[in-house]
């Protein structure tokens, strides 16, 4: 029988508690995720792992609009689709985020 | 009511006319421009640099959409005018738009001349004239390999170079026996051919194309001698043809171009023509300089300001292909009435020929060394009598007295042209430099337009800057935007922050038109630094614009952990501090404890969420091992213990470190204090180093022990510690104010020149002012670790990690 993966919606934080301009690292059942509340008010979530082959984390990235710059290797990464911008390559996983009445949920 | 001015064409000559008109009479006209290309005005002569990959299309836009908007110009792009109704004073566009005019400028330019041979309408045959052609060649190069360029003139060779850069094989077909025959004599042309062959071009000379073969798309060329070659792309660069059809259809007198008088008036009242579509005294120009001169005269004419007539232009040309330095102007051939001076140095690949007629320079051909082109071209255009000069003094700038370029500039009269393209004189440039405190070639361009077209005069502008500013001139200041978000240079950004009184990063980016609204990891830290340097009293630092280490006040390591390095002034510690460090290392299970290169103890591999608690337990100030700031002051043990030490190196080191710690600098700064010339603290490779000598200190600056080793230069010798501190303060502040962000002192010093820095620091008044600004800056810093410990907001924002368990 094939295993069926189930998606769950998890509450991560109060929206108000998320700072603008700095990532918040969250571990959900061992999965490392980082949340960014960006300047237009949206919350984005990506896996907390630098796509650079040498590794690293993204929580302390510099945030600019819908992009972040990897703090260790300066890769520019889209928070929309997790893609590393040219001339570099790579990708990180993105998560679906919902904000419902001041509560931030992620589907995992 | 304003008069209505309509211009047909949105190219370089026309828009320059409008620019000149706006300068003379900003509110004189309600202006409408029609351009049939979809772009705003761009620098057509730089298209070859786009094709060659040196610039992007955005880089060559000269007047962006905003320019039209802010000058109240109605611009219709992608829309051609199809009819001029002279009776009703109206133009009608291909979209049926009807616009009235009081004055009408025709600036329709020219098109590539496409040889009327069978097959020239096939796919893959292009001219080289506009952005569309350029884009097409770039696109075709991805799919096809063999290119043929018909035409071995300026444009053809530039196109060929571009196609080579795009990875294509390139054949250049030329009707004549030698390349650029209108600009070069046989010798220079032969040298050029050799160089280009070395670069990979293949030449087919004395070949006349008679047919372009292929079905739908081109596959090859056939020549009059029956021979054939294969080609997937054919670029026609055999000349240009003025766009005159509209004028002709409208009953305006047209010969080869639209015929104009010395005031650019056509034979129809209130209709003018300017640029490549115009024919003046039987000449149609295809170079930018004359077109701009025409624009100036027409603008004055439209503004009703008396002006000298346009009487034609002598043109100088150069090829924009790297490795080929050539310049040509005027007559290049010899006849009975001419004598020429020739220098041919085959060994160095240099050839110079000056054609002289009636004791005046009538023509210039320079190959391999074109540095004298501006001077010779001036002599040519001014018709200078050279009867008293020797051939050596005509050919050489420096002569025996080492006059060089600066001397050359000094000797120039104020009304001499520097930028032929834009008609800018030396006097105008010098005035602009003085009035607007300009310091770079590009700032001069921004103010006067000089150097903004072909760029050939940039070296002369640089000389004029050097001549006008003296030691203040920074010869290597580069005008490269600081990142992809802006085209502004560091100097321009700093100047704008000062002049507009900008106070925060976001404001700088908004006001100065950043392309990425919130900037990037390159510009944000730089702007934050410049703002803090300029607004020295009470600048509110923007932590989120800091590079990660400075944002976190600890060094990030490759696994995402951090390192903690407490301050250890002058490398001196105590047993109590050592114990504390050991206890903290144990408590937090620190995987690595190491002495750093700067005489301190580093704790490596710390989880970020542990940082605030560790700092609290340590109870020591931050060592700034992560900062663009003063890192360490390395000291030897000095006179207190060492039998050789002549000075108290530890004492001075500690005092320096205490005074200047936390100060933001363009890059990290390291100091060293050695008590004697044995130099145990390696003071000779520090940003600033002190060496104790009997009765005082030698001060060395600009050293670097990092990637690019550089021995420091001796700045001064002082007697007291107070003097050492005062000079250090002035030096650091001067570096802070004049360096680019991330420029270390070693390259900065080489750029500024030791003598210049010495002069600045020798000036007592200057030292005082620099120290005053520095002292005020130093007042605004707090101990960052302490701040993080006592501020929950900081702790939560930067150091918190959440854990969520799903049940």
């Amino acid at each position: 029988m094939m295993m069926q993966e189930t998606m769950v919606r998890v509450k991560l934080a109060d929206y108000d508690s998320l700072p603008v301009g700095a990532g918040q690292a969250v571990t959900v059942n061992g999965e490392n995720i980082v949340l960014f509340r960006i300047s237009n008010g949206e919350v984005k979530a990506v896996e907390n792992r630098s796509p650079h082959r040498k590794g690293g984390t993204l929580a302390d990235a510099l945030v600019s609009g819908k992009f972040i710059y990897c703090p260790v290797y300066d890769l520019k990464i889209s928070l929309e689709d997790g893609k590393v911008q040219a001339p570099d390559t790579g990708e990180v996983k993105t998560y679906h985020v919902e904000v419902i009445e001041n509560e931030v949920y992620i589907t995992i | 009511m304003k008069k209505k001015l309509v211009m047909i064409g949105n190219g370089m000559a026309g828009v320059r006319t409008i620019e000149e008109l706006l300068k003379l009479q900003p509110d004189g006209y309600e202006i409408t421009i029609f351009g049939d290309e979809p772009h705003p005005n761009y620098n057509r002569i730089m298209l070859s640099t786009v094709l060659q990959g040196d610039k992007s299309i955005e880089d060559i836009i000269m007047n962006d959409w905003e320019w039209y908007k802010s000058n109240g110009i109605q611009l219709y792009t992608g829309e051609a005018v199809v009819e001029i109704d002279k009776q009703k004073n109206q133009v009608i566009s291909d979209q049926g738009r009807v616009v009235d005019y009081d004055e009408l400028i025709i600036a329709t330019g020219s098109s590539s001349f496409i040889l009327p041979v069978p097959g020239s309408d096939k796919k893959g045959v292009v001219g080289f004239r506009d952005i569309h052609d350029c884009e097409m060649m770039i696109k075709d190069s991805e799919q096809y390999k063999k290119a043929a360029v018909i035409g071995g003139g300026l444009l053809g060779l530039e196109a060929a170079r571009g196609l080579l850069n795009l990875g294509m094989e390139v054949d250049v077909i030329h009707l004549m026996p030698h390349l650029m025959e209108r600009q070069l004599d046989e010798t220079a042309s032969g040298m050029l051919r050799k160089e280009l062959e070395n670069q990979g071009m293949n030449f087919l000379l004395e070949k006349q194309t008679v047919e372009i073969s292929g079905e739908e798309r081109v596959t090859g060329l056939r020549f009059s001698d029956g021979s054939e070659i294969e080609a997937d792309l054919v670029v026609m660069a055999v000349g240009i043809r003025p766009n005159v059809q509209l004028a002709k259809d409208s009953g305006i007198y047209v010969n080869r171009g639209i015929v104009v008088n010395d005031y650019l008036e056509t034979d129809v009242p209130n209709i003018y023509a300017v640029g490549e579509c115009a024919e003046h005294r039987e000449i149609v120009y295809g170079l930018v300089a004359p077109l701009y001169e025409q624009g100036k005269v027409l603008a004055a004419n439209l503004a009703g300001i008396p002006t000298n007539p346009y009487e034609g232009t002598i043109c100088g040309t150069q090829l924009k292909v790297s490795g080929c330095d050539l310049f040509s102007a005027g007559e290049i051939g010899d006849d009975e009435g001419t004598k020429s001076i020739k220098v041919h140095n085959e060994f160095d690949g240099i050839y110079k020929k000056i054609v002289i007629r009636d004791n005046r320079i009538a023509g210039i051909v320079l190959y391999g060394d074109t540095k004298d082109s501006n001077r010779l071209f001036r002599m040519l255009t001014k018709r200078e009598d050279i009867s008293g000069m020797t051939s050596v003094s005509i050919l050489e700038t420096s002569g025996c007295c080492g006059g060089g370029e600066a001397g050359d500039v000094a000797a120039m009269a104020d009304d001499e042209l520097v930028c032929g393209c834009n008609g800018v004189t030396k006097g105008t440039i010098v005035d602009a430099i003085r009035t607007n405190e300009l310091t770079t070639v590009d700032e001069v361009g921004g103010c006067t337009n000089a150097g903004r077209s072909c760029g050939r005069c940039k070296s002369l502008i640089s000389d004029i800057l050097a001549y006008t500013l003296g030691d203040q001139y920074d010869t290597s200041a580069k005008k490269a935007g600081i990142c992809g978000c802006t085209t502004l240079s560091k100097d321009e950004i700093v100047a704008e922050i000062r002049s507009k009184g900008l106070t925060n990063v976001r404001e700088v980016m908004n006001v100065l038109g950043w392309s990425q609204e919130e900037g990037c990891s390159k510009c944000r830290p730089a702007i934050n630094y410049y703002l803090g340097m300029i607004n020295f009293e009470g600048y509110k630092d923007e932590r989120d614009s800091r590079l990660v280490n400075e944002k976190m006040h600890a060094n990030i390591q490759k696994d995402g952990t951090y390192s903690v390095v407490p301050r250890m002034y002058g490398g001196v510690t105590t047993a109590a501090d050592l114990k504390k460090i050991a206890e903290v290392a144990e408590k937090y299970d620190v995987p690595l404890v190491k002495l750093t290169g700067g005489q301190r103890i580093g704790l490596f591999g710390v989880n970020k969420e542990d940082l605030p608690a560790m700092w609290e337990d340590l109870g020591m100030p931050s060592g700034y091992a992560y900062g663009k700031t003063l890192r360490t002051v390395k000291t030897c043990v000095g006179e207190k213990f060492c039998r050789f030490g002549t000075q108290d190196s530890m004492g001075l080191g500690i005092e320096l470190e205490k005074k200047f710690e936390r100060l933001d600098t363009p890059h990290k700064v390291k100091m060293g204090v050695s008590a004697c010339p044995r130099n145990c603290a390696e003071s000779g490779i520090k940003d600033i180093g002190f060496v104790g000598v009997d009765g005082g200190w030698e001060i060395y600056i600009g050293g670097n022990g990092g990637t690019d080793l550089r021995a420091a230069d001796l700045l001064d010798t002082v007697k007291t510690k107070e003097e050492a501190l005062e000079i250090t303060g002035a030096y650091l502040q001067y570096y802070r104010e004049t360096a680019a962000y991330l420029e270390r002192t070693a390259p900065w010093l080489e750029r500024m020149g030791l003598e210049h820095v010495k002069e600045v620091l020798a000036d007592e008044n200057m030292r005082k002012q620099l120290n005053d600004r520095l002292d005020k800056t130093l007042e605004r810093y707090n101990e960052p670790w302490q701040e993080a410990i006592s501020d929950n907001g900081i702790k939560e924002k930067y150091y918190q990690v959440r854990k969520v368990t799903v049940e």
Side-chain angles (χ1 to χ4, degrees):
Chain A
M1 200 178 98
M2 274 178 65
M3 290 285 288
Q4 194 173 348
E5 258 186 62
T6 45
M7 303 292 274
V8 288
R9 198 166 75 168
V10 185
K11 185 197 158 188
L12 293 189
D14 287 343
Y15 179 77
D16 289 344
S17 74
L18 289 180
V20 180
Q24 286 288 288
V26 188
T27 318
V28 184
N29 282 356
E31 198 159 335
N32 293 321
I33 297 168
V34 54
L35 298 175
F36 292 96
R37 177 169 151 191
I38 60 178
S39 55
N40 70 2
E42 287 177 50
V43 179
K44 303 282 177 189
V46 296
E47 72 182 299
N48 190 9
R49 173 191 67 82
S50 170
H52 193 276
R53 61 189 164 79
K54 288 189 175 169
T57 54
L58 294 179
D60 303 324
L62 187 140
V63 192
S64 168
K66 293 184 175 178
F67 294 97
I68 53 170
Y69 292 82
C70 156
V72 196
Y73 302 105
D74 206 31
L75 307 175
K76 183 180 179 182
I77 304 161
S78 164
L79 289 173
E80 299 274 23
D81 57 13
K83 290 217 164 64
V84 174
Q85 307 295 297
D88 301 305
T89 53
E91 198 170 344
V92 291
K93 197 166 154 188
T94 55
Y95 298 87
H96 180 64
V97 180
E98 284 167 285
V99 180
I100 301 165
E101 289 175 358
N102 197 39
E103 293 185 340
V104 179
Y105 292 89
I106 184 173
T107 309
I108 186 165
Chain B
M1 217 172 78
K2 282 186 190 178
K3 281 166 75 177
K4 293 186 173 65
L5 174 66
V6 172
M7 185 163 82
I8 308 171
N10 185 32
M12 295 176 75
V15 174
R16 173 52 61 86
T17 309
I18 302 294
E19 280 184 338
E20 296 283 353
L21 177 61
L22 290 171
K23 265 193 253 166
L24 297 173
Q25 202 184 35
D27 298 315
Y29 288 96
E30 189 185 310
I31 301 171
T32 304
I33 300 178
F34 285 90
D36 58 2
E37 286 188 64
H39 316 277
N41 176 40
Y42 61 90
N43 190 337
R44 202 177 296 274
I45 53 179
M46 299 305 276
L47 273 178
S48 56
T49 62
V50 174
L51 192 65
Q52 288 169 24
D54 298 331
K55 287 198 186 317
S56 72
I57 284 169
E58 287 71 41
D59 293 335
I60 65 166
I61 299 287
M62 298 176 81
N63 301 78
D64 58 17
W65 303 107
E66 187 50 42
W67 177 84
Y68 293 90
K69 217 168 116 192
S70 60
N71 284 293
I73 297 168
Q74 176 66 56
L75 173 67
Y76 298 111
T77 52
E79 188 167 341
V81 170
V82 289
E83 193 186 332
I84 300 169
D85 187 332
K86 291 183 295 184
Q87 266 69 46
K88 292 191 189 155
N89 280 16
Q90 283 178 337
V91 297
I92 299 142
S93 83
D94 57 0
Q95 293 183 25
R97 195 186 306 276
V98 180
V99 179
D100 296 331
Y101 68 81
D102 296 306
E103 312 283 353
L104 177 67
I105 302 175
I106 306 176
T108 44
S110 63
S111 311
S112 293
F113 178 64
I114 301 291
L115 288 175
V117 294
S120 61
D121 54 350
K122 287 192 199 312
K123 244 176 139 176
V125 179
V126 290
F128 183 25
R129 193 66 206 138
D130 56 30
I131 287 180
H132 177 71
D133 296 333
C134 207
E135 282 172 336
M136 200 156 142
M137 283 188 249
I138 293 171
K139 200 160 155 267
D140 277 4
S141 72
E142 289 163 11
Q143 208 179 336
Y144 301 101
K145 279 286 141 255
K146 279 191 76 67
V149 176
I150 306 181
L154 205 62
L155 203 60
L157 297 178
E158 286 178 7
R161 179 63 252 180
L163 295 167
L164 276 182
N165 288 7
L166 292 168
M168 300 190 83
E169 292 165 31
V170 183
D171 288 323
V172 176
I173 294 100
H174 196 46
L175 192 60
M176 306 300 287
H178 67 254
L179 301 173
M180 289 183 71
E181 74 283 348
R182 275 153 63 189
Q183 290 90 12
L184 301 181
D185 67 356
E186 219 174 315
T187 313
S189 173
M191 292 169 84
L192 173 66
R193 178 181 168 182
K194 220 176 199 172
E195 168 60 36
L196 292 172
E197 278 173 346
N198 287 340
Q199 293 189 12
M201 274 179 218
N202 182 38
F203 292 102
L204 299 160
L205 301 178
E206 297 181 82
K207 292 274 187 193
Q208 187 186 356
T209 310
V210 291
E211 195 187 339
I212 296 173
S213 45
E215 294 287 312
E216 206 176 309
R217 188 181 176 92
V218 55
T219 53
L221 296 179
R222 195 162 60 77
F223 305 114
S224 55
D225 58 7
S227 60
E228 290 181 2
I229 59 163
E230 284 176 22
D232 318 303
L233 172 70
V234 175
V235 180
M236 294 264 194
V238 289
I240 52 171
R241 171 172 276 183
N243 292 328
V244 295
Q245 199 57 45
L246 175 68
K248 218 181 224 173
D249 293 346
S250 311
I252 297 165
Y253 177 49
V254 172
N255 184 26
R256 196 176 154 233
I258 304 166
V259 176
V260 292
N261 64 16
D262 288 357
Y263 292 93
L264 291 308
E265 294 159 339
T266 67
D267 67 329
V268 178
N270 306 105
I271 300 184
Y272 311 84
V274 69
E276 291 178 341
C277 63
E279 177 180 321
H280 173 260
R281 299 192 187 181
E282 295 177 8
I283 297 176
V284 176
Y285 292 96
L287 292 165
V288 74
L291 312 184
Y292 282 180
E293 278 184 48
Q294 293 176 353
K296 216 167 188 169
V297 174
L298 175 53
N301 189 2
L302 287 168
I305 293 167
T307 180
N308 291 329
Y310 174 69
E311 295 182 295
T313 313
I314 301 169
C315 297
T317 47
Q318 67 171 15
L319 183 68
K320 289 182 288 301
V321 168
S322 64
C324 306
D325 280 336
L326 68 83
F327 175 80
S328 153
E331 298 178 33
I332 53 156
D334 300 290
D335 61 36
E336 284 163 7
T338 60
K339 283 182 193 155
S340 41
I341 305 169
K342 286 185 197 169
V343 172
H344 190 182
N345 174 348
E346 279 187 286
F347 186 75
D348 293 327
I350 291 168
Y351 175 73
K352 300 179 181 183
K353 173 178 175 182
I354 314 296
V355 181
I356 295 161
R357 186 188 291 281
D358 303 330
N359 284 323
R360 287 177 172 82
I361 294 181
I364 306 160
V365 177
L366 301 174
Y367 188 90
D369 173 6
T370 56
K371 69 176 189 304
D372 292 326
S373 60
N374 286 310
R375 182 178 57 89
L376 292 166
F377 187 57
R378 276 200 317 276
M379 290 164 77
L380 168 74
T381 49
K382 284 188 74 99
R383 300 191 44 74
E384 213 168 284
D385 191 326
I386 55 162
S387 20
M389 294 175 80
T390 62
S391 58
V392 171
S393 62
I394 292 169
L395 278 169
E396 295 295 331
T397 359
S398 353
C400 59
C401 312
E405 291 287 323
D408 190 33
V409 168
M412 278 176 83
D414 275 353
D415 65 349
E416 278 192 40
L417 267 188
V418 173
C419 175
C421 297
N422 298 303
V424 188
T425 61
K426 175 192 164 190
T428 309
I429 293 175
V430 170
D431 276 354
I433 293 170
R434 292 202 174 123
T435 320
N436 304 306
E437 294 178 8
L438 310 179
T439 55
T440 66
V441 173
D442 290 280
E443 285 172 358
V444 172
C447 261
T448 63
N449 268 326
R452 282 189 70 207
S453 297
C454 78
R456 181 163 50 88
C457 59
K458 281 190 173 178
S459 67
L460 185 57
I461 298 172
S462 173
D463 292 339
I464 295 175
L465 271 163
Y467 159 78
T468 313
L469 297 177
D471 284 348
Q472 307 272 305
Y473 181 50
D474 166 4
T475 46
S476 64
K478 291 198 178 65
K479 157 72 188 180
I482 61 166
C483 67
C485 304
T486 178
T487 53
L488 297 175
S489 67
K490 170 245 160 182
D491 288 341
E492 287 167 330
I493 293 165
V494 167
E496 294 280 355
I497 292 174
R498 287 188 199 276
S499 70
K500 296 196 164 79
L502 306 177
T503 56
N504 68 64
V505 175
R506 194 65 185 254
E507 187 185 22
V508 171
M509 297 190 295
N510 282 343
V511 172
L512 304 183
W514 246 237
S515 63
Q516 185 167 306
E517 207 181 330
E518 293 176 29
C520 70
S521 56
K522 301 223 167 21
C523 58
R524 287 244 304 262
I527 298 173
N528 185 48
Y529 170 77
Y530 295 134
L531 282 164
M533 178 270 288
I534 293 164
N535 305 317
F536 49 82
E537 281 176 290
Y539 174 65
K540 191 168 176 324
D541 189 68
E542 292 186 26
R543 188 168 184 148
D544 290 332
S545 290
R546 290 273 182 177
L547 295 170
V548 61
N549 291 343
E550 297 193 330
K551 182 164 90 167
M552 302 304 289
H553 290 290
N555 262 337
I556 197 167
Q557 310 297 341
K558 64 186 231 180
D559 60 356
T561 62
Y562 284 83
S563 58
V564 170
V565 183
R567 187 60 88 185
M568 202 177 271
Y569 298 99
V572 177
T573 185
T574 62
D577 278 353
L578 286 173
K579 262 192 223 163
K580 186 84 66 62
I581 291 171
E583 281 163 11
V584 167
E586 264 184 0
K587 179 174 171 185
Y588 293 90
D589 205 11
V590 169
L592 176 71
V593 181
K594 186 190 181 305
L595 295 183
T596 69
Q599 297 188 328
R600 308 185 296 183
I601 295 174
L603 307 173
F604 292 79
V606 180
N607 291 324
K608 121 170 147 172
E609 57 270 34
D610 289 337
L611 289 172
M614 271 186 72
W615 294 336
E616 190 164 11
D617 287 348
L618 281 166
M620 297 177 200
S622 165
Y624 278 82
Y626 45 78
K628 310 288 176 230
T629 174
L630 174 62
R631 294 279 177 94
T632 63
V633 183
K634 187 170 186 172
T635 60
C636 70
V637 72
E639 67 171 5
K640 285 191 178 156
F641 291 89
C642 174
R643 63 197 166 115
F644 301 112
T646 53
Q647 296 287 350
D648 175 14
S649 53
M650 288 190 291
L652 177 59
I654 290 170
E655 208 157 321
L656 285 164
E657 192 160 345
K658 288 201 162 155
K659 174 155 187 185
F660 300 112
E661 66 175 328
R662 303 179 195 144
L663 177 69
D664 286 308
T665 39
H667 210 304
K668 62 183 171 186
V669 168
K670 297 178 177 182
M671 298 189 191
V673 186
S674 301
C676 80
R678 284 173 186 74
N679 219 338
C680 294
E682 293 153 348
S683 307
I685 50 162
K686 298 290 183 235
D687 296 277
I688 182 160
F690 303 84
V691 175
V693 288
D694 210 12
W697 296 97
E698 284 177 349
I699 304 176
Y700 291 86
I701 58 173
N704 185 17
T707 324
D708 298 309
L709 271 173
R710 184 181 190 277
D713 291 303
L714 179 64
L715 171 72
D716 202 357
T717 305
V718 298
K719 288 202 179 76
T720 66
K721 196 166 69 178
E722 287 68 34
E723 285 174 276
L725 282 157
E726 194 218 355
I727 289 201
T728 306
Y731 165 73
L732 282 179
Q733 182 65 10
Y734 193 56
Y735 165 56
R736 295 183 74 236
E737 291 180 3
T738 53
Y741 184 66
L742 297 187
E743 182 179 34
R744 286 204 65 179
T745 61
W748 168 80
L749 183 64
E750 292 198 350
R751 179 165 71 75
M752 302 295 281
L754 176 65
E755 288 311 311
H756 169 71
V757 174
K758 268 186 176 172
E759 254 173 57
V760 170
L761 299 182
D763 181 335
E764 197 185 330
N765 189 30
M766 190 74 117
R767 273 205 315 272
K768 186 178 173 317
Q769 288 177 20
L770 287 165
N771 270 306
D772 283 350
R773 291 196 287 274
L774 180 79
D775 289 342
K776 285 193 181 118
T777 309
L778 283 166
E779 280 171 21
R780 70 165 191 247
Y781 297 101
N782 294 312
E783 165 52 40
W785 285 358
Q786 194 54 49
E787 204 175 19
I789 295 163
S790 50
D791 185 330
N792 278 335
I794 293 178
K795 261 194 254 184
E796 278 164 25
K797 179 165 178 179
Y798 296 103
Y799 303 103
Q800 170 178 268
V801 173
R802 302 165 195 244
K803 286 197 169 56
V804 177
T805 312
V806 185
E807 308 203 338

